[in-house]
Amino acid sequence: MVGKCFHAFISYSHEDYEWVKNVLIPNLEKGDNSIKLCHHERHFMPGKTIVENIINCIERSFKSIFVLSPNFIQSEWCHYELYFAQHSLFGKKSENLILILLDPIPQYLIPNKYSKLKAIMKHRTYMEWPKEKGKHGLFWANLREAIQANIPLEDEEIFVFN
């Protein structure tokens, strides 16, 4: 069994990189209740295939955060990450998937290969990134609660690549 050493793996489209890098990661990794995020830039192992890295990172994380946007559904890699996260959670509670709707996605834009995503979005609660600054505090509190930052991580060496 693979040891868990991250609270959450982050999946997002490269086009949403600036928001993830400048807003999501700093807000979750700061303070006393810092959350250990698995981010491909830091934790993908050189020499392994992208698919191997995706699977390894998902398996080593308690949760998977998906930053959804029209860009997300255009990305093949995002599709693979969602697919692997869904399959690694087979037989487990689906609360290990955390969906953040960064930008609205009209249902007609979601391709058929994302049929499970459509179903999840229809029947499960997802978080919407509020455009109003006054609602950001509540968003971060709810996201931290969803991640359950008090999950104990194993004492494992985490490789960081810059």
Side-chain angles (χ1 to χ4, degrees):
M1 182 171 160
V2 176
K4 305 282 188 193
C5 56
F6 300 104
H7 291 107
F9 169 73
I10 310 168
S11 176
Y12 60 94
S13 164
H14 182 69
E15 281 79 16
D16 298 323
Y17 171 77
E18 292 299 320
W19 184 83
V20 170
K21 180 184 176 202
N22 298 321
V23 180
L24 180 69
I25 292 174
N27 276 284
L28 292 178
E29 290 186 336
K30 71 178 181 183
D32 294 338
N33 272 344
S34 180
I35 293 173
K36 286 191 177 185
L37 297 172
C38 183
H39 186 241
H40 73 274
E41 285 189 345
R42 297 184 291 200
H43 300 107
F44 274 19
M45 301 288 289
K48 291 190 177 201
T49 67
I50 294 174
V51 171
E52 286 176 305
N53 272 307
I54 291 169
I55 293 169
N56 183 47
C57 286
I58 289 170
E59 286 178 346
R60 296 179 70 199
S61 302
F62 284 101
K63 310 262 180 161
S64 292
I65 298 172
F66 291 89
V67 179
L68 305 176
S69 70
N71 299 319
F72 183 94
I73 60 173
Q74 306 281 328
S75 167
E76 282 300 313
W77 290 118
C78 290
H79 180 250
Y80 289 129
E81 290 169 347
L82 184 61
Y83 174 83
F84 291 129
Q86 287 173 324
H87 282 49
S88 74
L89 300 172
F90 183 73
K92 299 178 186 173
K93 294 180 182 175
S94 61
E95 62 199 31
N96 292 346
L97 287 177
I98 299 171
L99 306 177
I100 298 173
L101 190 60
L102 184 59
D103 292 311
I105 306 172
Q107 287 287 313
Y108 69 88
L109 284 182
I110 303 175
N112 289 337
K113 67 181 177 184
Y114 281 106
S115 59
K116 286 187 179 181
L117 177 61
K118 280 184 180 182
I120 290 170
M121 289 180 74
K122 236 181 219 180
H123 301 288
R124 284 205 36 181
T125 302
Y126 52 86
M127 301 180 67
E128 292 185 49
W129 171 244
K131 301 303 177 197
E132 306 87 37
K133 273 194 165 190
K135 295 181 179 178
H136 288 181
L138 181 59
F139 173 86
W140 295 120
N142 287 337
L143 181 55
R144 284 179 171 279
E145 181 66 28
I147 296 170
Q148 295 178 355
N150 60 346
I151 296 172
L153 296 179
E154 293 181 7
D155 263 349
E156 274 191 36
E157 185 173 346
I158 297 176
F159 296 99
V160 179
F161 298 101
N162 291 325

